[in-house]
Structures are given as structure tokens and as C-alpha cells.
Amino acid sequence: MRVARGRHGTAASADGLCTVTGDNVKARTGPGTAYNLRATTYAGALMYNQGGAWGDNPVDGRWWVYGGLVNGADDVWIRSDLLRCQ
């Protein structure tokens, strides 16, 4: 298995990468629009998928993915409908 390193040296499987599919996508401090904005990103940016709000009860009616932006902010949440994950 190939392993990529995040900005702070955290390991992530190459299979755990997601691509942002929209422009001006808000990366938040938690899973939901009530959380603060940590970064704004763009189509084509990569995110390490480190988990998310999965299960029977999506937050704000949407699923959210937790991870870190490659060459950007760590510890961010982005709505799953704005990502294409491998």
C-alpha cells in the first residue's frame, strides 16, 4: 500500500484521498454549517479522508467528511456532496 504524508507528517493511505469538486467550498471546524469556517478551497484540491459523520443520522441532512487539505488546513470537515473520494 502506498502511503502519503500530510502537511504535519500524518500518514494517510493513497486510497483515502478525496478531490474537491466545487469552487469556494467551505472547510469547517466541525461537521455542520454551525461550525466556524477554517478555510475555503477550490475544485481540484485534494483532501486526506480521515473519517467523517457516517451512520444513520447525517448532520444538517448531509454527510460530512473529516480530514486535512493537502498543502492546506488540517482538522477540517467538508460536505461529502462537494467531494469525490476514492
Side-chain angles (χ1 to χ4, degrees):
M1 172 189 306
R2 294 182 309 149
V3 174
R5 295 270 171 203
R7 193 169 59 119
H8 293 289
T10 55
S13 164
D15 294 334
L17 285 176
C18 298
T19 303
V20 177
T21 59
D23 285 320
N24 297 314
V25 171
K26 309 295 190 263
R28 299 191 174 273
T29 58
T33 56
Y35 287 88
N36 291 330
L37 178 66
R38 181 164 301 210
T40 301
T41 191
Y42 53 89
L46 296 175
M47 175 184 179
Y48 293 113
N49 178 356
Q50 296 173 321
W54 308 107
D56 296 331
N57 188 18
V59 179
D60 293 340
R62 307 220 183 239
W63 299 114
W64 291 75
V65 175
Y66 171 76
L69 296 170
V70 174
N71 298 319
D74 289 325
D75 300 317
V76 298
W77 292 81
I78 296 179
R79 282 188 359 217
S80 63
D81 61 318
L82 299 172
L83 297 168
R84 184 177 63 251
C85 297
Q86 299 176 352

